[in-house]
Amino acid sequence: MSVAIQYRSPQLPAMEPSSELLWLTDIFEPETQVVMVKRNPDSVIDDYLAVAALQMGGGFRHVLKSGATVPHHLLPAHTGQEAFAADLNQLVEIYTDLLDCPSVGLRLEVMNRAMCPRFHVDHVGIRLLCTYRGPATEWLEDACADRSKLGPALPDVSDENSGVILNPAGIHRATPYAIVLLKGSQWQGNEGSGIIHRSPIVPSNKAPRVLLALDALW
């Protein structure tokens, strides 16, 4: 199964609804494993996270019912809190409308190192990722990968040496603020597939990385 990568709307502002978001529905196409809609960074959110991320520890997890908003007490009170909360809430609304799910599991990860540094496939349906700070998620085209090499590897064997990467030209990285939908192996009809992806290395001058992940709950 080939990987279809959709790059959409390179000038979409961070919090402005747009008809281009309808292109996220491409993820429901059987051959499509990842869709990315680019958005412009927001300087207010950038400035907020430069301060607030240092006070969030490792981040937080929260379950939201459809139509609910992220509680403000989970976000440090600094200038820009409202802008960041508004963007989180917009992405939750987009995701719940897209998946038609009654609830969503929200994870805001704040990290100084790669969370999942090896290429792998998630055993989920469709997951939304948005990297607000630091390097964003990387994925590998199916035609450039050897799926038989996925799975546990020796600690001192990198992806580049494990054999999973057949052609490094097939490695792609999301852009900051982009809305990324990743199809996992548990999506109906996607058994044995799912986008191959990994967390990037986080350089010290880019830390901490701030990543939003949304998963549908029924």
Side-chain angles (χ1 to χ4, degrees):
M1 181 179 292
S2 63
V3 175
I5 304 169
Q6 307 292 340
Y7 296 98
R8 302 294 192 183
S9 188
Q11 299 303 317
L12 184 65
M15 294 182 291
E16 181 179 324
S18 170
S19 60
E20 282 85 350
L21 293 175
L22 292 175
W23 283 319
L24 292 171
T25 59
D26 288 352
I27 195 66
F28 297 125
E29 295 295 328
E31 72 278 5
T32 301
Q33 298 293 318
V34 57
V35 173
M36 180 173 77
V37 173
K38 292 183 178 181
R39 304 192 298 161
N40 285 336
D42 186 303
S43 60
V44 175
I45 295 176
D46 286 345
D47 292 344
Y48 171 74
L49 290 176
V51 177
L54 301 177
Q55 301 175 352
M56 290 184 186
F60 60 84
R61 300 187 179 204
H62 193 74
V63 174
L64 290 170
K65 291 185 178 180
S66 179
T69 57
V70 178
H72 273 58
H73 74 267
L74 295 175
L75 305 173
H78 294 288
T79 301
Q81 181 198 48
E82 290 291 340
F84 186 50
D87 201 62
L88 293 177
N89 291 329
Q90 183 190 4
L91 295 188
V92 170
E93 181 180 3
I94 290 169
Y95 182 74
T96 54
D97 286 349
L98 186 71
L99 274 296
D100 194 26
C101 54
S103 300
V104 60
L106 181 154
R107 291 186 290 118
L108 191 71
E109 303 281 359
V110 181
M111 59 207 114
N112 293 303
R113 58 185 179 83
M115 181 172 58
C116 300
R118 296 187 183 279
F119 277 121
H120 65 285
V121 172
D122 287 332
H123 301 297
V124 299
I126 292 174
R127 173 171 288 166
L128 183 149
L129 297 180
C130 178
T131 303
Y132 285 99
R133 194 172 192 276
T137 301
E138 298 175 345
W139 66 86
L140 179 62
E141 293 181 34
D142 212 41
C144 299
D146 182 348
R147 284 183 178 266
S148 70
K149 299 298 195 300
L150 291 173
L154 296 175
D156 57 345
V157 178
S158 66
D159 281 336
E160 284 67 24
N161 295 319
S162 69
V164 69
I165 303 171
L166 297 180
N167 185 352
I171 299 174
H172 302 270
R173 177 178 288 184
T175 56
Y177 285 83
I179 301 171
V180 183
L181 296 178
L182 305 177
K183 187 180 289 180
S185 63
Q186 289 188 357
W187 186 253
Q188 185 175 3
N190 211 44
E191 298 82 2
S193 297
I195 189 66
I196 300 169
H197 64 289
R198 67 182 178 186
S199 300
I201 295 173
V202 183
S204 58
N205 64 336
K206 300 287 187 179
R209 180 181 182 227
V210 179
L211 171 71
L212 170 71
L214 300 179
D215 287 293
L217 301 175
W218 279 276

